[in-house]
Amino acid sequence: MPLYEHVFLARQDVTAQQVEALVEQYKGVIEAGGGKVEKTEMWGIKSLAYRIKKNRKAHFTMLGITAPAPAVAEMERQMRINEDVLRFMTLKVEEHEEAPSVMMQKRDRDERKDRERRRREEEGFGFGGTPEGQGEGA
């Protein structure tokens, strides 16, 4: 059965619970068509490069799907009808990645940088990389 990665953007003013309900709705469509959703990643609210239907931000969600083409086509048809879905894109892939997607890895990396910065501040390091009060001439 073909493998797909599907990303859709939902309007910013819908709640996270409504986005989860959309995911469950589309999972049901895929499963009714004989497929399976292998992976779901909620990427959160992100800024858009340009306004889409008067929205500057959107909820991004990625689905890893194993399904026949008609099931994916039906899901896309229902997304076109839904006013809460701004855009979507489906790509056929050779295999699903087991690790988190690049978008999720980026979030982990950003959190790591924040933790490192906070640790340095707690240790009392200033801008020069030396503990405060111990300048060059001390």
Side-chain angles (χ1 to χ4, degrees):
M1 212 174 315
L3 304 175
Y4 300 95
E5 284 189 356
H6 178 83
V7 177
F8 72 92
L9 283 59
R11 290 184 311 135
Q12 173 187 355
D13 52 337
V14 299
T15 64
Q17 290 79 18
Q18 289 172 308
V19 174
E20 289 175 13
L22 286 173
V23 169
E24 291 303 317
Q25 175 187 346
Y26 298 130
K27 264 188 194 180
V29 171
I30 293 294
E31 290 169 359
K36 184 177 176 187
V37 177
E38 304 285 337
K39 180 178 177 180
T40 303
E41 288 184 0
M42 304 286 193
W43 293 345
I45 296 178
K46 301 211 175 283
S47 296
L48 300 172
Y50 53 90
R51 289 191 339 188
I52 301 173
K53 298 180 184 176
K54 299 182 181 177
N55 291 282
R56 293 186 182 277
K57 294 185 177 191
H59 290 271
F60 284 63
T61 305
M62 195 268 300
L63 305 173
I65 301 170
T66 304
V72 175
E74 174 61 19
M75 178 185 67
E76 289 180 345
R77 184 189 73 79
Q78 290 189 17
M79 284 191 171
R80 273 188 216 96
I81 295 170
N82 193 330
E83 292 179 358
D84 290 334
V85 177
L86 299 174
R87 291 278 193 277
F88 61 86
M89 181 173 62
T90 307
L91 298 172
K92 190 172 185 180
V93 295
E94 295 294 321
E95 61 181 316
H96 289 292
E97 291 184 21
E98 296 298 321
S101 67
V102 174
M103 294 296 284
M104 295 301 282
Q105 291 172 2
K106 180 178 182 266
R107 182 179 298 163
D108 292 342
R109 193 170 51 241
D110 291 344
E111 289 172 0
R112 230 177 297 140
K113 285 180 184 175
D114 289 342
R115 281 195 304 265
E116 179 68 21
R117 183 182 46 79
R118 273 185 259 132
R119 184 186 63 79
R120 286 187 179 181
E121 287 174 359
E122 287 172 2
E123 290 176 356
F125 284 88
F127 289 107
T130 59
E132 292 180 30
Q134 296 180 5
E136 298 293 321

